[in-house]
Amino acid sequence: MGRRLSICNSIDDCDLAVLANESSRMTVADGRSFIEEGAPAHDFFVVTGGRVKLFTLLPDGRRQITGFAEGGDFLGLAASTSYAFGAEALGSATLCRFPHAGMQRLTERFPSLEHRLREEASRELALMQARMTLLGRKTARERVATFLIERCTHLDRPDPTRPVELDLPMPRTDIADYLGLTIETVSRILSAFKKEKLISIRSITHITLLMPERISTIAEGME
Amino acid sequence: MGRRLSICNSIDDCDLAVLANESSRMTVADGRSFIEEGAPAHDFFVVTGGRVKLFTLLPDGRRQITGFAEGGDFLGLAASTSYAFGAEALGSATLCRFPHAGMQRLTERFPSLEHRLREEASRELALMQARMTLLGRKTARERVATFLIERCTHLDRPDPTRPVELDLPMPRTDIADYLGLTIETVSRILSAFKKEKLISIRSITHITLLMPERISTIAEGME
DNA sequence: CGCGGCGTTGACGCATTTCAATCCTCGTGG
DNA sequence: CCACGAGGATTGAAATGCGTCAACGCCGCG
C-alpha cells in the first residue's frame, strides 16, 4: 500500500539495473494468497499490475480487510519479523518482490530510499488513522459514503460537483469486510443511495456518483 | 507511539549533545492539547514522561482515540505536511520536541536513525492492523478483553497464568473512544467480567486480571 | 435449459446505544 | 469533622441500527 511515485523515484537516473537485480517479478492468480498472516516476513512487494487485498483474520474466520493495493503500491512495511496481515490477489495481479536482504543492499547504495520508505509508511499511517475513525465511530451510511469518496479520490477527480463514474472491482464481501459491515448492509445502503438519487448503479461493479458533494457530506457525518 | 528503545539507541555512543541541540523539552498539563489535528506538522515528539492520547475527530464531535503513548514513544510519524491526529496530555506529561529541520540534520549525521524511524513506523503499522480488526470485527466483550490484555502486555508479564495487576490511567471516556464503544458499554462489560470472577476492581484505575489466560481467549474471539 | 454463485430484499432478533436515575469519590467550605 | 456539590462511573429500561436468517433474483456457464 504505497501511493503513486513508485520507489524508483528515489533512485532516479541511477542504475535501475541494480534495482532489477534485487527484485523478481511474479504473477498471482485471482483469489490466490501470496502473503500468509503471521508467516516470517522475508520480502517487500510492489504491486505492478492488477489489485490485491490485505487483511487480518480472527481464529473463527472473521475477516477485516485493512486495505486494497494497486499499481505502484508498496506492501510489507507493516511487518517486522512476521507479516501483520495476509494478502491475496483481487483479479490476477503482478508484483515485484524484493527480499529484505536485497532491499538492504539497495538502501545502502541509495540512502534516500530509506527516507522514501519512511514516507511511504507515514502516508499509510495517516490513512489508517482515518480508517480507524471510520471503523470505530462512523455509521454504516457514513462508511459506505466514505468508501465511495475514497474510491473516487483514487482517480484525479476533475470537478467535485459533476457526476463521477467509478468501478468497484471487489465483490460485496470484500467491501463489507473492509468497512466492518455485512454484505447485506452494504447492499441495502447502496440501494438506499440509489433510491435517493445520490448514485446510479449501472452494473454490479460500475457505479456513478450523481452528487459527489452530498455523498462527501454524508461521509464526514455532516449529513 | 513508538515502543521501548528510544531513538537514542541508533545514535549509541555518538554525540548525544548534538541530539540535545536539536530538541527542546516541554511539559504539558493534564488535558492540554499540544497537537492540533490538521495543523501543519513542524515537529516530531518523544514522550519522556507521563502519558498522552492521540485521536481524530469528526465534525460533530465524535472522537476516535487512535492510541495512547507513554515514556519512550514516538509521535508524529503519521504526518506528512499536516498532522493526521490530535494529541493531548493524559495527566501531566513531558515531551521532547524535534523540529523537522533539526531531525533532518540528525538523520544526515546518523543515517541509521532514518532506519530506526522506519522501524518505528512499521511497528506502529502492525499495531494498527490489529486495532482495525478490533474496531471492525470484534464484539464489545472481545474489545474490552483485548484492551486489558494489551495493557498487561505493556508490562513485561511474568507468568501468564498468575493474576496481573494493572492500572488504567485513562478515564472510561477515553477507553470507550479507544475501543469504539460507549462508556456505559465499557462499564457494563467490566462489571460482567467482575461478576464472572475474571477480574477484580480495586479502584477505578486499579484492576487485577484474575484469569489472564481466559481473558486472552476472549480477546481472540475464541470464548 | 438449468444449475451455482453472488447480490438484493424482507422479516425478525439482538447487541449496543441512548436516555435517565443513582452512586461513588473526592475536594471544598462551613 | 462533616456536609455538600460536582464529575465521573455504574446500573437500569427502552430504543434502534445493524446483523442474522431466509427467500428470491440475476446472470454466466456448462
Side-chain angles (χ1 to χ4, degrees), chain A residues 171-172 184 187-188 191 204:
Chain A
R172 296 287 187 264
E184 293 94 330
S187 183
R188 268 188 262 272
S191 298
I204 287 182

Side-chain angles (χ1 to χ4, degrees), chain A residues 78-100:
Chain A
S80 43
T81 61
S82 57
Y83 293 111
F85 56 88
E88 83 180 44
L90 181 64
S92 120
T94 60
L95 303 165
C96 234
R97 176 213 302 263
F98 295 82
H100 283 182

